[in-house]
Amino acid sequence: MVGFKATDVPPTATVKFLGAGTAACIADLITFPLDTAKVRLQIQGESQGPVHATASAQYRGVLGTILTMVRTEGPRSLYNGLVAGLQRQMSFASVRIGLYDSVKQFYTKGSEHASIGSRLLAGSTTGALAVAVAQPTDVVKVRFQAQARAGGGRRYQSTVDAYKTIAREEGFRGLWKGTSPNVARNAIVNCAELVTYDLIKDTLLKASLMTGSCPPFSAWDPGTW
């Protein structure tokens, strides 16, 4: 724009949307093996009795799980479901983080002074909406991460095949399994993260300790949790 420096022009909703999704994808690329190890540890022994499952545990600890997967299934197994994971981050983080400021302005009717209630409402709204949009990608991601390559055939041959197979065998609603608890969890997490970030940023700005308008892109993503 004429008369404005690049740093003086506030980012548009589209820039925030794409920026949040891209940043989340980069973070997912780095941390995906940890997320895969978490899923393997969570589902370990689900088809066995508690005593037998404890005695025959295949995975022990995060590092032990990663090393076991590399030894028995190969290094690529740590990135099972990466495509769906990136799809999830681009859709989930874009809505959860990228649209937070826009939704907050909607609730405050454009006022520069947003109350804590408006911030909490915006955080819970974008957190819940993000899950509603991205849940199918989360389901497919976890299915791939839980699918061991060693000792049997793979149920899903590709990401597209996984979407089709789940919809065909479990119905279209199968792609949204676990939505309700995930909506509740992420609405709370989003409020805790983004609203806290927002309040701290405003406090720093009012104290003249920093300048500018920073979108909450630096908030950590709990989808890898």
Side-chain angles (χ1 to χ4, degrees), residues 91-225:
S91 55
F92 179 78
S94 295
V95 175
R96 184 182 79 88
I97 301 175
L99 295 185
Y100 170 76
D101 285 335
S102 298
V103 174
K104 182 179 68 174
Q105 291 176 4
F106 171 78
Y107 283 128
T108 58
K109 296 181 174 59
S111 174
E112 295 182 359
H113 304 287
S115 64
I116 294 181
S118 297
R119 299 173 201 257
L120 291 173
L121 192 57
S124 60
T125 298
T126 56
L129 183 59
V131 171
V133 172
Q135 186 67 13
T137 62
D138 196 28
V139 170
V140 171
K141 176 187 77 74
V142 173
R143 295 286 183 93
F144 266 106
Q145 290 174 315
Q147 178 176 255
R149 292 183 178 181
R154 300 177 64 190
R155 183 181 181 189
Y156 309 116
Q157 302 305 315
S158 67
T159 304
V160 174
D161 177 63
Y163 286 115
K164 291 181 178 179
T165 301
I166 294 173
R168 182 177 64 252
E169 296 181 356
E170 305 172 40
F172 194 67
R173 295 179 62 182
L175 292 169
W176 271 270
K177 284 185 176 179
T179 298
S180 296
N182 214 10
V183 164
R185 173 185 177 276
N186 280 284
I188 296 172
V189 168
N190 212 39
C191 285
E193 288 189 344
L194 296 190
V195 174
T196 300
Y197 171 92
D198 213 9
L199 291 172
I200 293 175
K201 183 186 73 174
D202 281 356
T203 300
L204 293 175
L205 288 173
K206 290 178 180 178
S208 299
L209 297 178
M210 60 179 288
T211 60
S213 178
C214 301
F217 290 167
S218 59
W220 181 39
D221 180 21
T224 59
W225 294 9

